[in-house]
Every structure is written in structure tokens, then in C-alpha cells.
Amino acid sequence: KSKIPLFTYVYSWDHAFKHVRFSKRIQYLVWHAGISEDLVTMHGIPNNNITVIGSTQLCYLDQFLSTNTSPKHNYKYFYYACGIGIPSHVEDELGIVIQLAKTIHSIYPTYKLIVRPYPNLKNWNIYDLLKNQTNIILEDNYRDQDLVTSEEQIMEKFRVISNAKGFFHMGTTLGLEACFTKCPVFIIATVPKSQYSVSIYDFVYQSQNVKYLIHSSKLNTIASYNQLRETLINIDDPIFLQFSNLIKSQFNTESFELITTKFTNYLSSYNTHHAQ
């Protein structure tokens, strides 16, 4: 009623898919053209209500890419990032992780699998299931009692990922971010379709995963156990980095300073234009 202009920043790549209430009466600021398309096609937002502004989510990554990424660990390893926060389905994901660890061990007996728990899952006790697998290292020291991750720990996360032999996940933002490192990235989609209304299959095949991660590269989508073995055996093949190059061409990383300037310039320009 007061006619104050309203703005919404869609600050993650999957929010157009996960949220259902998008008013056509406000202005939207988004990461890139793909998210603009998502708002138009799924929520009917007019094109002139959407402006590409850039990604605050990727600013830490931009900061990391200008630093030294020398290895910290004195052993070779693969990396898995957990992404499921529904307690009833976490065990299903951990079953996949254990299978991955066993497959790695059968091919590379001296390699480790570093597993990063899902940060938004409050109770991490369930990850104790992984401690029985001798080649799994649980990366569970990065969150304080307030569930907060420090800037130093964020930088360390990217450094560990960058020096891994391969990065695996089942559909996470970190799986997108990992594409900017020198480590090949794979989404595990070996789960069968379930008769239940909600299952781990539905998590993997969420629409944003299908659009940005699965359809973009069949080579980096692990659809079977045999493909997993072949991928691990040929992990050093540079062909696996083609998917990362595709992602990097779609999502830009920029500094906090540049994003801040773009926000303030946009708001100033918008207010000046509509005041006339």
C-alpha cells in the first residue's frame, strides 16, 4: 500500500525449484541467465522483473581461486559431500557412500575417501556408521555449536576438494562449486526408482539436478556400478573435466567487492529511473 519498491535476491541456484511463492509484483535479482529462465518458465515472472546481478554464494570460491592450493594431506584421496538432510533417508545415502568406499579400496587400496557430513543436518551421530569402513575419513570438525562454518574453514574445504582425485555427491551446491577446482566432479545416480512417495531417488533426480548437473554431462553422471568402476579406473582422463568447464562457462565467480558494487549501482539506478 505504501508503494515501496520490493526486491528479492534469489541467492542460490536451486531456489527457483524449491520455493513456490514468487510474486509478480516485485523485482528479482539472480545469479545468471539460467535462473532467470527458471523464474519465467516455472513461476511466470515477467522478464522485465528480473535482473542478473551475480552470485554471492560463489564469492568465497572466487577468493579461494586466487590463493595457493597446495596439498595438505600426505595421502591420496577421493572426496564425497553428503547432501541429504531428511533423517529417514540419510542411511540410504550412507549406503551409497560405503559402496563407493569399498569400490575405491578394491581399485586403490591405499587411497582414502574423505566424507563431509551435510552441514544442515543437526544430529551427526548417524555418520558414525561410516567409521567401520577403514578407508573413510570423516571431515566432521568444521562446524561449531551454532552450526556455523568459519571463513578459514570454507577456504580449507575448497583446498581439500581441489587436491582430491575425484569429487562425488548426489546433488549438492558444493557439487556445483567443486567444478571450479581442478578436481573432476561426479553425481552418483545409481539409486533405483522407489514405490514410496519420497525417496533418495527423488532427491537425486530433483529438477535442478537434472537441468544443471545430470543432463549437462552423461559422462559425469554415475548411473551404474560398472560405470563407477570404469570411472575410478580412468579418473585421470582429462575428458572428465569437460563437465566442469561447461559449468564454469555458465556460472561466474566474482569478488564480494564487485558484487556489492553491482548491488548498490543497480538499486541507485532503479530508484533514479523510477523517481522520474
Side-chain angles (χ1 to χ4, degrees), residues 148-160:
V148 174
T149 304
S150 70
E151 180 175 326
E152 180 181 349
Q153 290 165 328
I154 292 172
M155 294 297 108
E156 179 61 18
K157 169 187 67 178
F158 289 133
R159 184 165 70 148
V160 175

Side-chain angles (χ1 to χ4, degrees), residues 4-10 26-29 263 266-267 270-271 274:
I4 297 174
L6 298 176
F7 305 87
T8 289
Y9 179 50
V10 185
I26 61 180
Q27 296 295 314
Y28 291 92
L29 308 177
F263 264 98
Y266 167 78
L267 293 174
Y270 183 91
N271 289 330
H274 287 80

Side-chain angles (χ1 to χ4, degrees), residues 59-97:
C59 287
Y60 281 119
L61 186 57
D62 183 81
Q63 185 176 324
F64 165 77
L65 293 175
S66 63
T67 65
N68 183 4
T69 61
S70 59
K72 171 186 176 182
H73 302 294
N74 59 1
Y75 52 83
K76 294 182 178 180
Y77 59 90
F78 292 87
Y79 195 103
Y80 181 89
C82 297
I84 295 182
I86 303 172
S88 58
H89 295 309
V90 174
E91 285 193 29
D92 294 332
E93 181 178 33
L94 298 189
I96 298 293
V97 174

Side-chain angles (χ1 to χ4, degrees), residues 80 84 89-97 99 169-171 187-195 198-206 209 214 221-225 227-228:
Y80 181 89
I84 295 182
H89 295 309
V90 174
E91 285 193 29
D92 294 332
E93 181 178 33
L94 298 189
I96 298 293
V97 174
Q99 182 187 54
H169 67 113
M170 297 184 75
I187 182 169
I188 298 180
T190 57
V191 291
K193 190 172 180 61
S194 171
Q195 73 269 24
V198 178
S199 70
I200 191 172
Y201 174 93
D202 300 298
F203 176 86
V204 174
Y205 285 94
Q206 291 179 82
N209 293 339
I214 294 177
T221 300
I222 307 300
S224 69
Y225 175 72
Q227 184 186 357
L228 174 60

Side-chain angles (χ1 to χ4, degrees), residues 4 29 37-38 50 105 109 198 205 210 221 230 252 265 268:
I4 297 174
L29 308 177
E37 177 186 85
D38 298 335
I50 307 170
H105 183 71
V198 178
Y205 285 94
V210 172
T221 300
E230 287 299 312
N252 294 327
N265 287 347
S268 175

Side-chain angles (χ1 to χ4, degrees), residues 5 11 41 55 72 84 86 106-107 140 183 227 239 245 251 274:
Y11 74 89
T41 58
S55 171
K72 171 186 176 182
I84 295 182
I86 303 172
S106 69
I107 301 170
D140 58 356
C183 173
Q227 184 186 357
I239 196 172
N245 293 333
F251 297 84
H274 287 80

